[in-house]
Amino acid sequence: LQLINKLKNNNMTEDTTPYRQIKKMNQSYLKILLRDPGLFKATIDGKTVSKSADYFTLGSAVDVLTTEGLEAYNEQFVVCTSMPSDSIKVVVDTVYERLVENNIPLGILDDHHALIEYVTTETGYQTNWKAPTRIAKVVTLGAKYFEFLKTVGKRTKINVKDNLTALKCYEAVTGDWFYKELLSRGTVQYKEVIQWEHKGIGMKSELDLIIKNEEDKTIIPVDLKTTSSEIYNFSSSFWKYRYDFQASAYVLALEQKYPGYTILPFRFVVVSTQFVTAPLIYELDPAVHEIGLNGGTLESGWKMEGLNQAIDRYLWHLTEDQWDFPKEYYTDYCLKITK
């Protein structure tokens, strides 16, 4: 738990360290803790591998385009014009990553039969086939993609369809009258990185953008969201992914960094990746922010814990060094089902 211990008692500082390199707690980790303490610990300890699903890639692409622009997008993303099937892609990606990790000359895919056999077994690719058949299939269908990987570098791979969708979403958002009106309310600051402290824990946050009005001394925090559903159904995704939790953390961060400003209600700008039309802007009610911060019960009866409860749980697990189960399992020897 060396990394976790570093997260304690870190005061808010101002520097130019890239967000991902800052070794502090964030709201995404704490949401994992509420679901599964064991997964939280594995994530903090770097023992989990994040899977780059297409929907995450697409969302990230729209985010970069909207907040950083086309030039940054072209620097960070590369379009793959001939993407193999998902199963072949997983095998070739894994083979390529193992070669790079172990400083083995890349050559061509056909040079690595033994590694391909191992990876196909590991990933479960056509394990009912004989090894030579599996290897031949991977080489035939994945050789072109392997050559493409050698040109990618650190850029994120995106397929042709998602690239076009990302560009359409970018145009829909930035060309929208209501979005431009929102931005006109002050000076726009993109990718606001804040290091802050809450209940003795060093925290970090990265906001898509804030709109700062120097005359009124107000700040509007804004987050861009993509959805594969209709944008009028955003409320279901909102609670599923606990965006209330995210917003409450970001507001606390802003309150600490800008003590002389009033933080106005949080806005989410939502664009659909399936039905690309004009985006919708959602504003958070104070009661929603309260649930994100201190927990509460929805109209459906579903009880949720907030940021403060998550940090209390974190501190308990940190003190007791027990991570396999939720706190209640250790204190009550069971998990209770309530109405």
Side-chain angles (χ1 to χ4, degrees):
L1 301 180
Q2 293 180 349
L3 177 57
I4 296 179
N5 289 324
K6 291 179 183 178
L7 301 176
K8 292 195 68 177
N9 300 320
N10 284 322
N11 294 323
M12 184 172 67
T13 59
E14 188 71 35
D15 59 34
T16 57
T17 306
Y19 177 78
R20 294 185 182 279
Q21 295 180 20
I22 300 172
K23 304 302 183 183
K24 293 186 178 182
M25 184 62 66
N26 63 38
Q27 58 88 23
S28 296
Y29 286 162
L30 290 172
K31 286 193 290 189
I32 296 173
L33 177 64
L34 289 179
R35 299 197 315 266
D36 185 341
L39 179 59
F40 168 86
K41 180 177 180 296
T43 303
I44 290 293
D45 289 347
K47 295 180 180 178
T48 58
V49 178
S50 82
K51 298 181 179 179
S52 181
D54 286 344
Y55 48 86
F56 287 127
T57 300
L58 177 55
S60 177
V62 175
D63 184 89
V64 170
L65 279 165
T66 307
T67 61
E68 300 179 50
L70 276 167
E71 184 176 347
Y73 176 71
N74 290 328
E75 291 174 353
Q76 297 177 42
F77 287 81
V78 58
V79 180
C80 181
T81 58
S82 181
M83 195 80 79
S85 67
D86 288 344
S87 56
I88 292 291
K89 180 177 179 296
V90 168
V91 172
V92 178
D93 279 340
T94 306
V95 168
Y96 181 84
E97 289 166 5
R98 298 286 169 79
L99 293 173
V100 172
E101 289 171 0
N102 293 282
N103 296 314
I104 299 173
L106 296 175
I108 60 175
L109 186 59
D110 204 18
D111 293 335
H112 308 292
H113 286 202
L115 182 56
I116 294 172
E117 179 182 353
Y118 179 83
V119 171
T120 53
T121 302
E122 182 182 49
T123 60
Y125 175 74
Q126 302 293 2
T127 52
N128 57 321
W129 293 359
K130 292 183 178 180
T133 305
R134 298 201 309 267
I135 295 168
K137 195 71 171 179
V138 169
V139 171
T140 300
L141 299 179
K144 186 175 180 180
Y145 177 64
F146 184 81
E147 293 303 308
F148 166 75
L149 290 179
K150 290 156 65 174
T151 70
V152 169
K154 294 183 179 181
R155 292 176 294 174
T156 300
K157 303 180 292 294
I158 187 169
N159 62 46
V160 173
K161 178 177 178 293
D162 286 349
N163 176 60
L164 292 175
T165 299
L167 291 171
K168 288 180 181 179
C169 290
Y170 163 63
E171 292 172 355
V173 172
T174 56
D176 180 65
W177 184 90
F178 293 95
Y179 180 71
K180 289 188 283 188
E181 189 281 328
L182 177 63
L183 299 190
S184 71
R185 301 182 193 182
T187 302
V188 181
Q189 296 176 198
Y190 293 100
K191 292 300 179 186
E192 182 84 357
V193 176
I194 304 175
Q195 298 186 53
W196 52 292
E197 181 270 335
H198 189 55
K199 304 184 81 168
I201 300 299
M203 301 285 294
K204 66 175 183 176
S205 296
E206 183 179 44
L207 290 80
D208 281 344
L209 62 108
I210 63 171
I211 304 165
K212 186 162 63 170
N213 189 305
E214 297 290 356
E215 291 185 11
D216 298 340
K217 293 296 181 182
T218 59
I219 292 175
I220 303 174
V222 180
D223 197 75
L224 178 68
K225 296 297 183 189
T226 56
T227 177
S228 58
S229 303
E230 294 183 6
I231 51 179
Y232 289 100
N233 295 331
F234 177 65
S235 60
S236 60
S237 297
F238 179 88
W239 293 112
K240 177 181 179 181
Y241 297 112
R242 294 303 310 272
Y243 295 147
D244 62 306
F245 194 103
Q246 173 191 2
S248 70
Y250 288 0
V251 168
L252 286 181
L254 287 169
E255 288 175 343
Q256 289 191 25
K257 183 170 183 178
Y258 300 101
Y261 288 75
T262 298
I263 311 303
L264 297 179
F266 205 102
R267 265 71 162 190
F268 286 95
V269 178
V270 184
V271 61
S272 173
T273 57
Q274 292 296 321
F275 315 97
V276 183
T277 57
L280 284 181
I281 299 172
Y282 287 86
E283 179 181 305
L284 259 60
D285 185 274
V288 174
H289 173 75
E290 176 64 19
I291 291 175
L293 182 61
N294 294 310
T297 303
L298 303 184
E299 291 182 359
S300 64
W302 190 259
K303 296 180 180 179
M304 294 181 167
E305 293 189 327
L307 176 68
N308 282 325
Q309 288 87 356
I311 290 183
D312 289 342
R313 286 183 176 275
Y314 168 67
L315 291 171
W316 184 90
H317 285 285
L318 189 65
T319 300
E320 301 297 327
D321 196 21
Q322 299 285 355
W323 300 95
D324 292 334
F325 306 103
K327 170 187 174 182
E328 290 79 6
Y329 207 69
Y330 294 104
T331 58
D332 301 337
Y333 303 105
C334 66
L335 297 179
K336 296 178 181 179
I337 298 176
T338 58
K339 64 178 181 178

